[in-house]
Amino acid sequence: MDRIQIRQTEGVLSLSLNRPDLHNAFDDEMVDELTRALEAAGADPAVRVVVLTGNGINFSTGHDMAWLQAMADMDAGRVEAQAARIGRMLQTLDTLPKPTIARVQGSAFGIGAALIACCDIACGVSGALFSFPDVRLGAVPAAVAPFVLRSLGTRACRRYFVSAERFNAGKAKRLGLLHMVVEEEELDAVIRQQVGNLLANGPQAMAAAKALLQSLSGLGTSPAALALAAGEAARVRTSGEGREGLAAFIEKRPPAWVG
């Protein structure tokens, strides 16, 4: 892979978008590379945490110009297939059975902002900007909409999908796209702290928590939701990891998954 830089150390997999000269803009090859890297991370038991970031000054500015130019000559079927590829990449990140952290070192537009919305924890620098500029090109951010809508909510999406205006990191935090906003020199320390927090948790329990939230989405507090939650609570608590975690707490020792 040359569009995605991969580093793995002590259970932490760092995936860096690696087209800094193009502000990490996406083409079809980059979409496929990131999808494959995420699929491999999900299947690798040695991966405990995934950190997604970008090389260069921006996280990702969305589609690259050459890809947009190619789309201008595509029929509806090919455009739909391209959107489906983007959707698959985002869904792979969104449903990854490992905790994910977005390390947002710069601005993120379109696909880039959607990647952040798919991560469990998102930390960005104060100078970052965000937008969904599709309508400026006579298009709509349809491929990213399901993931961004859940993060920002309908009201905010109605404004920013229609206006295509940029908003800053403080607004991104208030809207729910970012969890933390820090200065550039603080970013790595905050990411290390978050990684440490995640490595202290049961790997299977975190995967189960993510899967439970996916299953509960849209069910509200219905009887089906309550039954699902109760059954999953019992399954995880009585699993090997669940019993080990409780035993470690009672015995005042670190659990087995903490090296």
Side-chain angles (χ1 to χ4, degrees), residues 117-133:
C118 291
C119 288
D120 302 317
I121 300 170
C123 183
V125 296
S126 60
L129 296 172
F130 306 87
S131 76
F132 302 94

Side-chain angles (χ1 to χ4, degrees), residues 29-66:
E29 188 174 343
M30 190 169 178
V31 169
D32 291 344
E33 284 191 13
L34 182 55
T35 301
R36 292 197 302 271
L38 291 169
E39 289 172 343
D44 186 352
V47 174
R48 297 274 307 279
V49 178
V50 175
V51 177
L52 180 64
T53 189
N55 291 331
I57 63 173
N58 285 319
F59 184 80
S60 173
T61 54
H63 292 79
D64 84 356
M65 186 59 66

Side-chain angles (χ1 to χ4, degrees), residues 143-207:
V144 309
F147 307 95
V148 177
L149 180 62
R150 183 193 55 203
S151 177
L152 270 66
T154 302
R155 189 63 176 163
C157 284
R158 286 179 65 168
R159 173 179 178 177
Y160 292 107
F161 280 18
V162 170
S163 70
E165 65 189 295
R166 296 183 176 185
F167 53 97
N168 62 25
K171 177 62 70 67
K173 183 175 182 290
R174 291 193 294 274
L175 293 175
L177 184 62
L178 293 177
H179 295 110
M180 293 167 283
V181 176
V182 300
E183 297 307 311
E184 185 175 351
E185 61 271 18
E186 301 172 313
L187 183 59
D188 286 332
V190 170
I191 297 300
R192 285 193 297 270
Q193 180 186 42
Q194 292 300 316
V195 167
N197 289 341
L198 294 171
L199 290 175
N201 302 334
Q204 296 172 28
M206 289 189 291

Side-chain angles (χ1 to χ4, degrees), residues 243-258:
R243 294 185 187 282
E244 164 62 12
L246 185 56
F249 177 77
I250 292 171
E251 297 166 13
K252 298 182 180 180
R253 60 171 175 81
W257 58 78
V258 177

